[in-house]
Amino acid sequence: MALAGYWPGRWPGEDGGPRRTQAPPAGGGGFGLQPGEKLGVVSRPLMMSCMTILRDAGEVYVQGTTGSVPTRETTGWVERIDPGSLATVNRSPALPAGPYWPGGIAAHANGSLYVTCGRWCHRLDADCQLIVSRELPRDRPYNSLVILPDGCLVMKDFVGGTGVHALPQGVGGSELCVLDPDNLKIVCRYELPEGSIARLSADVALDGTPRVYVIGEHHAMRLRWDAGRATLAPDEAWTTKYLRCPGQTFGWDVVLEGGSAWFLDNGEGTTAFGPSFRGKGTSTSPLHLVRVPLDADHPEPEFLEVCGKPCGIIANPPAIDGGRRIVVGYDSGNGVVTAWRFGAPGESEMIWQREQNQAGHMIVFPETGELMSYDFDHERGTEQCVVLDIETGSEKGR
């Protein structure tokens, strides 16, 4: 089923779409690995790539940037690549970015590609050629974008924590910015009461109102988008404080699935990445999977410890198989992946746990019950793709 606002492809936005379910649409299949079968890989060097999306059949786009924290003058780029050889088919010109962060990409229902990187948003055609650009209001990086059902684009500056991205003096919080998809004109700005590092997510309420979700430094927040008035308004009845434990630090990207919002905390310190997050965490509280019910007023967050150890760290979302009622969290600092079977809020049971240096965005294949995950091999200095059985945690291929 096509996502409103997005191109009707198999993977038109990062994490599969604005709810970040990390799962292909119905009919998306999976590896279906059988005993004795092995995974193969094709690779090519491509420095500082970030997100990959799919548009029409055979159309694969990779987005990335140059530079790293705390670089101030960077550029972005997009390549269309051959799905078999990974060779470049088309490449964009260098796209102005400014202050570094990886950014993100989405394929719009109007056929264009939109890239937010640094403090710029760019509209490209299907051949990766630039149509129009917009410099965003704040002199800080913006952390990707989501598309709303009416086609408008919403993004937010990346600010918070205690490191190089800490809130500047006199700034109340991060600011959401909504752009017109045709000319990238800014149609709405809304300043949050606190900083936010995580990427945005979005869904649609039962009454048809688009909702934007923000994980701030201390609170999980939801805003309602009024397309007719071009305004964002906070949903005060849903805002909840999740930063409650001594030594706990802010959360990252939120997944909207199974009637709840799910995210991982202890995200402070991720600028220390390289080549993995193993041993890089500084938060003294154990890392949690946080669950917040979507349809409750003034919801209370639920906390599940991934492994119970201090110095955990993450920079990406958990994975949820809504049909099987399984959620998978991980602690990249301690190299642990844990899965729970969940019921109603407050009902969960751990079903498996394994040691694995998982840190990236995972992919769930509901039809085959497979989970695409990662494991950084420190001895060889390379990332490995690992396909797990999501019911048991057993390894099916690597």
Side-chain angles (χ1 to χ4, degrees), residues 339-362:
W340 297 265
R341 180 105 47 195
F342 65 90
E347 298 176 356
S348 62
E349 175 189 10
M350 189 172 73
I351 56 174
W352 56 263
Q353 186 174 78
R354 57 184 284 129
E355 293 187 1
Q356 184 174 320
N357 293 318
Q358 152 64 35
H361 294 239
M362 297 182 284

Side-chain angles (χ1 to χ4, degrees), residues 184-263:
L184 299 187
K185 178 182 177 181
I186 297 172
V187 297
C188 176
R189 295 172 66 178
Y190 183 87
E191 185 172 281
L192 299 166
E194 61 191 65
S196 170
I197 297 294
R199 294 168 183 252
L200 300 172
S201 301
D203 70 358
V204 177
L206 293 176
D207 64 3
T209 302
R211 305 183 296 191
V212 178
Y213 293 78
V214 184
I215 303 303
E217 292 180 282
H218 303 274
H219 295 81
M221 296 170 277
R222 183 165 72 190
L223 298 94
R224 294 177 174 269
W225 170 243
D226 186 328
R229 298 181 179 181
T231 57
L232 283 167
D235 185 347
E236 301 289 359
W238 195 81
T239 296
T240 185
K241 184 175 183 180
Y242 72 87
L243 209 68
R244 302 187 178 195
C245 308
Q248 181 189 19
T249 60
F250 57 78
W252 279 74
D253 313 349
V254 61
V255 181
L256 310 175
E257 180 61 282
S260 294
W262 309 83
F263 61 96

